[in-house]
Amino acid sequence: QVQLVESGGGLVQAGGSLRLSCAASGRTFSTYAGWFRQAPGKEREFVAAIYWTGGATYYADSVKGRFTISSDNAKNTAYLQMNSLKPEDTAVYYCAARTKSDIATLRRAALYDYWGQGTQVTVSS
C-alpha cells in the first residue's frame, strides 16, 4: 500500500506562486507520481507527472511553462511548483501514484492506484 499526504495549498493572488508537496510512504511498488486537480462542477484533470526516481516530466498544456513537477527520492516526496498562478488554476489538487509504467496513459486518472486527500488552491483575481 502507498499512503500519500499533500500539503502546501492556500490562497494566493493572481501572478503569485505556491509549492505543493506530496509525502509518500510505502511507495516501493509505485512508478509514477502525478498531480491532478478538480474544480467545482468539473472533472478531475491531469496536471503533471514524473517518474519517482527522476527523469522525464509530463505536463498539461494549460500549465506548461508555469508549473514544475519534481521528486526527491531520498525523502519520498513529490513537489509541484506553481508560478504565475491564474484564477482558473483554482481547484483541489490531488497527488497520485501508480504502479503501471505505460507513459501513454499518464493523463488518465482512473489508472492511478493511490490518491492523497487533496489540498485546496485558491487564486484570487
Side-chain angles (χ1 to χ4, degrees), residues 88-99:
E88 51 263 45
D89 294 318
T90 295
V92 177
Y93 282 71
Y94 296 91
C95 176
R98 54 184 275 168
T99 57

Side-chain angles (χ1 to χ4, degrees), residues 25-47:
S25 59
R27 71 160 183 86
T28 304
F29 301 108
S30 66
T31 57
Y32 285 92
W35 287 96
F36 289 77
R37 65 186 182 187
Q38 188 166 18
K42 295 188 176 181
E43 292 187 355
R44 191 168 298 189
E45 66 172 355
F46 171 79
V47 175

Side-chain angles (χ1 to χ4, degrees), residues 56-99:
T57 55
Y58 307 85
Y59 296 95
D61 288 343
S62 59
V63 306
K64 201 171 295 183
R66 299 188 298 123
F67 291 10
T68 302
I69 188 171
S70 61
S71 63
D72 186 327
N73 195 38
K75 295 182 178 179
N76 285 352
T77 302
Y79 304 96
L80 186 67
Q81 177 66 45
M82 305 185 295
N83 298 329
S84 302
L85 282 161
K86 305 175 182 179
E88 51 263 45
D89 294 318
T90 295
V92 177
Y93 282 71
Y94 296 91
C95 176
R98 54 184 275 168
T99 57

